[in-house]
Amino acid sequence: MDQNQRISIDGKHSYRLGGWKTSLGIRLLLFALLGLLFYFALAGRLIPQTYDIEPGAVSEKTIYATKQIENAIETQKAKEEAARRVQPVYSILPMKNESLIETIFEKLRQINADEQLSTNDKVNVFRNVFPTMYSDYTGNLYTSIRASDPANDGLLNEVKTALTEQQYRIPEEVYFKFPRLTKEDLDAMEPVAKDVVSRLMNDQLPNAQSARTRVAELVNTSPLTKNTSREMVQELARFVITPNKFANQKATDQERAEAREGTKPVYINKGDILVHKGEMVSDETYERLKTMDLLKEKVNYWPQLGLTLLSGLFVLGLYMFVRQSEHSIRSNNVQLLMLVLIYVLNITGMKIVALGQNMDYANIGYLAPVAMGTMLIAILIGMPIAFVSSILFALLSSIIYNIKGEVLFDFRYGLLALVVCITSVFAIQRANQRASILRSGIMISLTGAVAILAVTFLDNVYTRTEIMMSFGFTVASGLLTAVLVIGLMPFFEVSFGILSPLKLVELSNPNHPLLRKLLTETPGTYHHSVMVGNLSEAAAESVGANGLLCRVGSYYHDIGKTKRPSYFIENQMSMGNPHDHIEPALSKSIIVAHARDGVEMLKEHNMPKPIRDIAEQHHGTTLLKFFYFKAKKLQPEGAEPIPEEEYRYPGPNAQSKEAAIVGIADGVEAAVRSLRNPSIEQIDTMVRKIIKDRLDDGQFNECDLTLRELDTIAKTLNETLLGIFHSRIEYPADTAAKSDGKEAKQA
């Protein structure tokens, strides 16, 4: 197999390996995985588990309530207890006993004044008249009760029963004493009897006997002097006194009904235990399980459909944002895979915290490091994606940590997650040291604590213990987030070849072994690399490229020169130029090899691929003009022309803005340094000539630099070079010419 065939096969193999990075199918698969992640992360809260269980069987698991339902039995018990506590209602009726006493005395006067009746006749009349008067009196009372409350038969019956059962029976011997009473005796007795009856009937009397026992005492203190008069007044008062307080069953039943209606339902809350492990399932418990759709015989597919649609909405929102984004993640499946992995880690952390959450320890949900995901996304991918992810994580938190079940989302956890996630994005945006992550964690703790205090005070249902626990968990969450991000950063940087700002700052440390080697063995190249770093960083930032990557990439772009330092003019000091004594082809091979040697050295030190790409691509496929024309000059007359391809760098051309900018800065720095006392016009002409030559040579065809950006880069390089060389610039016209060795330096 010849070399061309091997290169072709290697190219196809490389394409197959790298094709997944931009494959639409892989991209859709990753978004589908995100949808599955959302579905299964929320399924435990939104889709109840079902059990194969029968009444009378022993439960093999402890089963918890998945939603809040009314406990009908306990509610009924509470209602009956409330009704039982209601005391019987009594009605106090105006009995008008004074009118009865007046009627009695009127009859006594009338009958005693009738001289045609004998004493025995009068006694017989009295035996009949007194019950009749009592019957007439109670009959009128019943009529008035029926008229005032026709539907209250219970009260009427209660009154009838009480008046009948408590009617006073006048002793037989008293009837023989009534005829002896004179008109004067009756006139003296009547006011006393009225007064006694009135005073005793002012009290509430469910039982008349208690009042009748007090009659003798009141009569004996009256102005009556005759014993017979006192005795008759006592008997008449006892006869007239009746109960006036009667149990009103209708009113009692009404108040008990109101008490039952006013009793709050007893609920089985979400998370309450329905049946313990090893406990027998009663009929009542079985009905509750059926009500909550926890039985396999009654599968409810609506929650699954709802969760599928919700997960789809989450994925669709993220997909549309990524699709409209100008970030490279819209076409780079490697970054999308990293995003999916960050989501997996963040949601896993949230679920782990949720395992310890229950009704007694609901506040532990505040400990979840929700902001870990947004902080990693902000550092490794970009701020816009981090903001969108903050919203998604907030929605997920409000569902995952919602254990009350009254509503789908618990706004407290959603609000906290949104606050800490957005805080993490703003706090980490200019992080350039690991300590910056810790400071961001402290900011997360502070803002999260403020959010929790605000929600707690607004809820107005809290205890000092709850406040302290919520505050402590929130503060701990911020610190835990920082620790996890610091621990996970190296994993993502190594696994995905990510050059985060923190990693780039570490690589720019002069104590790095390769930079120490560059400084000690090739001080000229080291100084050249530092200058290129300054130029490329300024140029990159002017067009929105990664300036820090350009700076660090510039530090390592010529590391391959340490293999043969003396063959590069910046390291020759006072020694002669070795290229003056060797063939142009050999010189070309040595010069070209520094890019390949640099990539190999960077690989040996496990340097990230973007740094290796800059070292490999900063020359692209440019022509080594000095050695090419030298070879043509040394070529015998009539020989076949030397093709330019033999004196070009092997490439590849710059694949990114950063590689192209470093290449421009490399050529500009070498060219301007070769000028003796450069003027402003010389610098501007040199910069634009180098950019134009590379543009005409097709060196920018494989990166996305625009002509407008190239013009901006030229202006920025001019300004930066003017700052570097201002003390040595002479403004007169061009003076010096390039020496023969300058082309080697530009190489």
Side-chain angles (χ1 to χ4, degrees):
M1 180 181 295
D2 61 25
Q3 184 177 4
N4 291 336
Q5 290 176 326
R6 181 171 55 80
I7 292 174
S8 176
I9 292 176
D10 289 345
K12 292 180 180 179
H13 179 65
S14 175
Y15 175 78
R16 282 195 293 268
L17 288 177
W20 73 273
K21 297 180 181 180
T22 56
S23 169
L24 178 60
I26 297 296
R27 191 166 196 76
L28 295 178
L29 176 62
L30 290 175
F31 278 109
L33 290 176
L34 265 181
L36 292 175
L37 174 65
F38 294 147
Y39 183 93
F40 288 108
L42 302 178
R45 291 293 189 205
L46 302 180
I47 299 178
Q49 183 181 358
T50 56
Y51 302 89
D52 187 9
I53 200 167
E54 295 292 336
V58 175
S59 177
E60 298 179 355
K61 296 181 179 180
T62 299
I63 303 177
Y64 297 89
T66 58
K67 59 184 177 181
Q68 186 185 66
I69 63 170
E70 182 179 347
N71 189 335
I73 294 177
E74 293 300 323
T75 298
Q76 187 60 36
K77 288 181 180 179
K79 289 183 176 182
E80 294 303 322
E81 178 62 24
R84 188 186 61 81
R85 289 196 298 267
V86 174
Q87 298 298 321
V89 177
Y90 290 89
S91 295
I92 310 299
L93 300 180
M95 302 303 293
K96 300 181 181 180
N97 301 68
E98 295 86 350
S99 63
L100 178 58
I101 199 72
E102 290 177 357
T103 303
I104 291 174
F105 273 96
E106 185 178 347
K107 278 293 182 183
L108 286 172
R109 291 189 185 96
Q110 180 184 353
I111 294 171
N112 284 348
D114 192 346
E115 295 179 354
Q116 295 180 0
L117 295 175
S118 63
T119 301
N120 290 333
D121 292 336
K122 291 180 181 179
V123 170
N124 291 330
V125 171
F126 286 136
R127 285 195 187 102
N128 296 321
V129 167
F130 274 84
T132 301
M133 287 189 295
Y134 188 83
S135 178
D136 293 341
Y137 168 74
T138 56
N140 293 331
L141 179 63
Y142 300 152
T143 301
S144 64
I145 293 174
R146 185 177 289 109
S148 62
D149 194 357
N152 198 347
D153 292 335
L155 176 62
L156 180 59
N157 293 332
E158 182 69 22
V159 173
K160 286 181 178 180
T161 300
L163 294 181
T164 301
E165 292 178 353
Q166 298 185 41
Q167 181 180 355
Y168 184 74
R169 308 299 176 185
I170 297 176
E172 183 65 24
E173 64 272 13
V174 173
Y175 288 114
F176 289 94
K177 297 179 182 180
F178 282 142
R180 302 175 188 173
L181 297 173
T182 65
K183 182 178 181 301
E184 291 75 12
D185 292 336
L186 292 174
D187 290 341
M189 291 166 54
E190 183 175 2
V192 174
K194 286 183 177 180
D195 181 62
V196 171
V197 171
S198 177
R199 289 172 65 180
L200 293 177
M201 290 300 294
N202 281 334
D203 296 333
Q204 297 180 9
L205 302 176
N207 191 329
Q209 186 57 36
S210 61
R212 290 167 182 163
T213 59
R214 297 173 56 195
V215 170
E217 177 186 353
L218 295 175
V219 172
N220 289 334
T221 59
S222 69
L224 293 174
T225 57
K226 291 182 179 182
N227 290 334
T228 302
S229 297
R230 290 179 179 177
E231 181 184 357
M232 293 301 101
V233 169
Q234 291 178 23
E235 293 300 328
L236 291 174
R238 293 188 181 106
F239 178 76
V240 172
I241 291 174
T242 61
N244 61 6
K245 182 178 180 181
F246 305 94
N248 191 337
Q249 190 61 42
K250 179 182 178 182
T252 302
D253 292 342
Q254 184 175 352
E255 287 203 8
R256 287 176 177 170
E258 290 176 356
R260 291 187 184 94
E261 291 296 324
T263 302
K264 293 183 178 180
V266 179
Y267 289 102
I268 298 174
N269 293 314
K270 184 176 181 179
D272 288 350
I273 296 177
L274 296 178
V275 58
H276 290 274
K277 181 179 180 181
E279 181 182 349
M280 188 181 72
V281 179
S282 64
D283 293 336
E284 174 190 342
T285 302
Y286 184 81
E287 289 302 320
R288 290 175 183 169
L289 294 174
K290 182 183 291 186
T291 302
M292 291 190 179
D293 299 326
L294 294 176
L295 299 176
K296 286 189 176 180
E297 65 180 26
K298 185 183 178 182
V299 180
N300 184 4
Y301 292 102
W302 291 114
Q304 285 90 333
L305 178 59
L307 181 54
T308 301
L309 294 176
L310 181 63
S311 302
L313 286 175
F314 288 168
V315 173
L316 180 62
L318 188 61
Y319 171 78
M320 294 304 296
F321 183 85
V322 169
R323 183 181 177 184
Q324 299 298 325
S325 172
E326 295 183 358
H327 195 276
S328 58
I329 193 174
R330 67 179 178 180
S331 58
N332 188 338
N333 290 339
V334 176
Q335 289 188 329
L336 184 58
L337 175 61
M338 181 169 58
L339 179 67
V340 172
L341 183 56
I342 291 174
Y343 268 77
V344 170
L345 292 174
N346 205 51
I347 293 176
T348 300
M350 294 163 63
K351 295 290 288 184
I352 290 174
V353 174
L355 292 176
Q357 188 186 34
N358 53 47
M359 294 302 294
D360 295 329
Y361 297 97
N363 294 338
I364 199 174
Y366 298 140
L367 180 62
V370 184
M372 176 186 71
T374 52
M375 193 179 293
L376 286 171
I377 294 171
I379 296 173
L380 301 174
I381 300 178
M383 299 292 174
I385 305 295
F387 279 118
V388 174
S389 299
S390 298
I391 299 174
L392 289 178
F393 289 142
L395 292 173
L396 292 172
S397 295
S398 65
I399 297 176
I400 291 175
Y401 299 113
N402 177 23
I403 62 175
K404 291 186 176 181
E406 290 90 349
V407 292
L408 182 62
F409 301 94
D410 190 331
F411 82 96
R412 297 173 302 167
Y413 296 100
L415 175 64
L416 174 63
L418 186 62
V419 169
V420 298
C421 287
I422 291 180
T423 299
S424 69
V425 176
F426 282 115
I428 204 66
Q429 62 178 336
R430 294 193 177 275
N432 53 17
Q433 297 179 1
R434 303 289 173 182
S436 301
I437 299 178
L438 183 58
R439 287 194 294 270
S440 300
I442 295 174
M443 287 294 297
I444 291 171
S445 297
L446 294 177
T447 55
V450 172
I452 283 302
L453 289 177
V455 171
T456 304
F457 292 148
L458 288 173
D459 197 21
N460 203 26
V461 180
Y462 57 86
T463 63
R464 180 176 298 180
T465 302
E466 288 178 341
I467 293 177
M468 295 302 296
M469 289 182 63
S470 300
F471 188 87
F473 282 138
T474 306
V475 171
S477 172
L479 300 179
L480 178 61
T481 298
V483 171
L484 291 175
V485 171
I486 291 174
L488 289 171
M489 279 293 295
F491 165 75
F492 284 100
E493 290 170 346
V494 173
S495 301
F496 292 90
I498 297 298
L499 265 181
S500 66
L502 303 176
K503 183 67 174 179
L504 286 171
V505 170
E506 289 179 357
L507 293 177
S508 67
N509 190 334
N511 290 320
H512 190 282
L514 287 179
L515 293 184
R516 294 286 298 175
K517 180 181 180 67
L518 190 67
L519 175 62
T520 56
E521 298 180 10
T522 56
T525 300
Y526 178 84
H527 184 262
H528 160 72
S529 298
V530 171
M531 297 297 292
V532 172
N534 293 335
L535 293 171
S536 62
E537 182 179 34
E541 290 181 350
S542 69
V543 294
N546 191 335
L548 185 57
L549 173 59
C550 287
R551 170 183 286 276
V552 178
S554 298
Y555 291 168
Y556 294 92
H557 80 291
D558 276 344
I559 192 67
K561 291 182 179 180
T562 58
K563 287 287 186 73
R564 305 172 188 83
S566 62
Y567 285 87
F568 299 90
I569 194 168
E570 68 268 21
N571 299 315
Q572 291 172 1
M573 303 302 178
S574 58
M575 61 181 292
N577 189 347
H579 292 287
D580 294 340
H581 310 291
I582 60 177
E583 294 295 324
L586 180 58
S587 296
K588 180 265 301 183
S589 299
I590 293 173
I591 297 299
V592 167
H594 86 274
R596 181 181 65 252
D597 293 338
V599 172
E600 292 175 355
M601 293 176 66
L602 292 173
K603 283 183 179 180
E604 291 174 1
H605 285 77
N606 296 317
M607 297 295 284
K609 189 174 184 303
I611 301 294
R612 303 199 307 266
D613 289 343
I614 289 176
E616 184 179 26
Q617 300 168 14
H618 72 280
H619 281 297
T621 57
T622 53
L623 177 67
L624 280 77
K625 294 181 180 180
F626 177 80
F627 296 112
Y628 173 68
F629 288 116
K630 181 178 179 181
K632 287 182 66 175
K633 183 178 180 181
L634 296 176
Q635 187 180 22
E637 292 185 8
E640 187 176 347
I642 301 174
E644 283 190 0
E645 286 73 17
E646 291 184 7
Y647 281 84
R648 285 185 178 273
Y649 281 92
N653 288 333
Q655 304 295 303
S656 65
K657 287 184 179 181
E658 288 77 13
I661 291 171
V662 171
I664 295 173
D666 179 51
V668 165
E669 197 281 335
V672 173
R673 183 176 293 276
S674 69
L675 297 176
R676 187 185 302 274
N677 297 327
S679 66
I680 297 175
E681 291 80 6
Q682 284 179 311
I683 291 176
D684 182 66
T685 301
M686 183 67 71
V687 169
R688 294 189 180 276
K689 181 178 184 301
I690 290 173
I691 292 176
K692 184 177 184 304
D693 288 346
R694 290 190 174 232
L695 179 63
D696 294 341
D697 198 28
Q699 300 301 312
F700 304 138
N701 290 352
E702 298 177 29
C703 66
D704 53 354
L705 279 176
T706 64
L707 293 177
R708 182 188 296 273
E709 288 174 336
L710 289 174
D711 184 64
T712 302
I713 290 170
K715 293 178 181 178
T716 304
L717 290 175
N718 281 330
E719 294 172 357
T720 306
L721 288 168
L722 189 61
I724 295 174
F725 294 102
H726 70 281
S727 60
R728 293 175 294 162
I729 289 178
E730 293 182 3
Y731 289 92
D734 300 355
T735 55
K738 296 180 182 178
S739 64
D740 290 344
K742 292 171 186 176
E743 287 287 350
K745 183 173 180 356
Q746 291 180 32

